Amino acid sequence: MGGPDHIGSPGSWEAGAPIRRQGGGVADPAPEPESTHKAARRRVPKALVRVGRLLLVAVVAWLLLRLLRAIDWSQVGYAVTHLSPWQVVVVLLVLPIRRFVLAVPLALFVTGLSVPRAMVNDVAATSVATIAPSPGDVVVRLAMLRSWGIDAKAAASGLTLSTLLFYIARLAAPVLGFVIFWVGSTFYAPFGWAALVFGAGAVALLAGLIYAVRAERTAAALGRMLGSLLRKVRPAANGPDEWAERLVDFQAHSAGLLKAHGRLAVVSLCGLVVVEAGVLVLCLGFVGIPLSGATILLLVCTFLVIYPFTGLPLMGAGVLDATYAAFVSTHSELEATALVAGLLVWRVAVQVVPVVVGLLTLVRWRHLDRRAASHRAT
C-alpha cells in the first residue's frame, strides 16, 4: 500500500507532511497535538524499574547458588584442561565459520565491503566491546570502514541495519527452539512462554524497523528536531533543514539496502543462531557429555530459548551459564559439572579467542592505517 510515509511516494506529500523545498531542505511539519508530546514524555515508573532489577538479581542469585552447590570444580578443571589436541583444533577451525556467518549481513548492507573485511571489522569491534564501554565498538567500526574508503552514509546505514537484524534474530531464537522441541519431542509450556515473550519483542522490533525505513515524513521531523537541538548547542552547526534532508536521505538509502539484501541477511542470521548452538554442543561433547539424539535436541533447544541472554554484558556470563546448566541438569540425567565444563570451553572459544584475535587485528589495522596516512602526506 502506498502512502505519505512510504518509499517511492510522490515528491510532494500529503497535507501536513513536510514538503521538500525547491532549493533543498524540508518545510516545517504540521504541529503535533499537545497530547502526543505529553505521551512522548511518559516514562516507566522508577519504582517499577527498581522492582524489575531486584527480581532479576534475585533470580540470578538463586540460579547461581543452586548451580554452585551441585558442581565439583576439580572435575570441571580436569575436563577443561584435558581436551585432546585434535579437539582443540576442531574448535578453532569452527570459529572462522561462526565469524563468517556473523559478518555476512554487514558485507551485504555496506556497499563496497567484502566479507573478509567485514570479518576483520566485526572481530575488532567485538574485542573493543568486551573491554571498553559502548559506543567504543561503533567508533572503531566506523573508523575502519572509513579507512577502507567506505562512504560514511553507506557505513552508517549498513551498520545500523545489520545490528538491528541481529537483535531481531536474537529475540526470535526462542521461537525456533520452542518449535523444534515441540516437533521433535513434546510441547513444553516454559519454552512456549519464552517464545511468546521474546518473539513478541522480535515482532515489535521488526515492525519498528519496517516503519523506520518507510517513514520519510518521520525521518524529516526527527532531522529537524536534531538540527534544532544542535543549533542551540553550536550556533554554527547545520540547521534543521539540512539535518532533515540528511535523515531523509539516510532513511531512503537504508530502505533500498533492506529491500535488496534483507532476505539473504535474515537467512544468514538464522544460520548464525544454528551455528552458535552447534559450537556449544560440540564443546559439550568434547568434555564427555554423551550426544544421543534426545540429548542433542534438549541441548540445542534450551540454548535457543535462552539465546537472548547473550545480549547481556559479556554475552550473559553467569546468567546464561547458570540458567542453561540448571535447566538441562534438572530435565535430564546430565550432571551440572560436565555442563559447566562444556560452557567454559564454549566461552573460551567464542569470547576469549575472538578478543585476542580482535586486539591483534586492531593493532595491525592501526599500523597499516598510520603508514597509509604518512604515505598520503608525503
Side-chain angles (χ1 to χ4, degrees):
M1 295 179 62
D5 284 352
H6 293 179
I7 297 299
S9 58
S12 59
W13 299 333
E14 294 179 0
I19 301 176
R20 293 185 181 275
R21 295 175 179 152
Q22 189 172 359
V26 180
D28 292 334
E32 297 181 0
E34 182 65 23
S35 59
T36 303
H37 294 287
K38 290 181 179 179
R41 291 195 294 266
R42 291 174 187 167
R43 295 291 184 270
V44 178
K46 291 184 178 179
L48 185 59
V49 174
R50 290 171 182 169
V51 171
R53 289 175 178 173
L54 289 175
L55 287 175
L56 179 61
V57 171
V59 170
V60 172
W62 176 77
L63 286 171
L64 287 173
L65 290 174
R66 179 181 175 185
L67 182 63
L68 290 173
R69 286 197 301 264
I71 292 175
D72 184 340
W73 289 100
S74 62
Q75 291 186 19
V76 171
Y78 180 85
V80 171
T81 57
H82 283 73
L83 292 176
S84 63
W86 74 266
Q87 290 174 330
V88 175
V89 170
V90 169
V91 172
L92 292 177
L93 289 177
V94 169
L95 295 184
I97 298 175
R98 174 181 178 268
R99 189 59 55 182
F100 172 85
V101 179
L102 184 60
V104 165
L106 184 62
L108 288 173
F109 288 131
V110 177
T111 305
L113 182 65
S114 64
V115 174
R117 280 191 166 180
M119 294 172 66
V120 170
N121 184 269
D122 182 72
V123 74
T126 297
S127 65
V128 173
T130 303
I131 61 179
S134 183
D137 56 326
V138 179
V139 173
V140 169
R141 281 184 180 275
L142 293 176
M144 293 184 80
L145 293 174
R146 284 197 303 268
S147 71
W148 294 332
I150 304 295
D151 177 71
K153 181 174 69 175
S157 298
L159 185 57
T160 300
L161 288 176
S162 62
T163 301
L164 287 174
L165 285 180
F166 175 70
Y167 276 99
I168 292 172
R170 175 180 277 158
L171 291 174
V175 179
L176 180 62
F178 165 66
V179 171
I180 294 175
F181 194 77
W182 190 1
V183 173
S185 179
T186 184
F187 175 85
Y188 187 55
F191 281 5
W193 282 110
L196 180 63
V197 172
F198 289 116
V203 170
L205 191 57
L206 178 61
L209 175 61
I210 293 174
Y211 173 77
V213 298
R214 294 168 66 89
E216 195 173 349
R217 180 169 57 184
T218 303
L222 289 175
R224 292 188 62 81
M225 181 178 67
L226 179 60
S228 298
L229 292 174
L230 291 176
R231 179 63 66 84
K232 292 178 181 178
V233 178
R234 294 180 57 193
N238 292 328
D241 291 343
E242 289 79 6
W243 274 102
E245 189 73 25
R246 286 185 180 184
L247 259 68
V248 169
D249 290 342
F250 178 86
Q251 172 261 344
H253 181 73
S254 300
L257 290 174
L258 191 62
K259 182 178 180 180
H261 306 295
R263 290 185 180 88
L264 186 55
V266 169
V267 171
S268 174
L269 288 171
C270 290
L272 170 66
V273 174
V274 175
V275 169
E276 294 271 43
V279 174
L280 176 58
V281 171
L282 186 69
C283 294
L284 291 170
F286 283 169
V287 298
I289 291 180
L291 298 179
S292 64
T295 300
I296 293 176
L297 182 67
L298 178 64
L299 295 175
V300 169
C301 293
T302 302
F303 178 74
L304 293 178
V305 169
I306 66 172
Y307 188 68
F309 289 169
T310 59
L312 298 174
L314 297 176
M315 290 184 65
V319 179
L320 183 145
D321 308 67
T323 305
Y324 187 84
F327 182 87
V328 173
S329 61
T330 301
H331 292 80
S332 68
E333 297 181 355
L334 301 178
E335 296 182 358
T337 299
L339 292 168
V340 170
L343 286 164
L344 285 176
V345 174
W346 173 73
R347 285 206 173 274
V348 170
V350 301
Q351 281 188 275
V352 178
V353 173
V355 168
V356 174
V357 174
L359 290 176
L360 294 175
T361 300
L362 196 57
V363 171
R364 177 63 174 169
W365 166 73
R366 289 293 297 168
H367 172 71
L368 294 176
D369 188 50
R370 288 173 181 171
R371 190 169 65 179
S374 65
H375 284 322
R376 287 193 297 268
T378 57

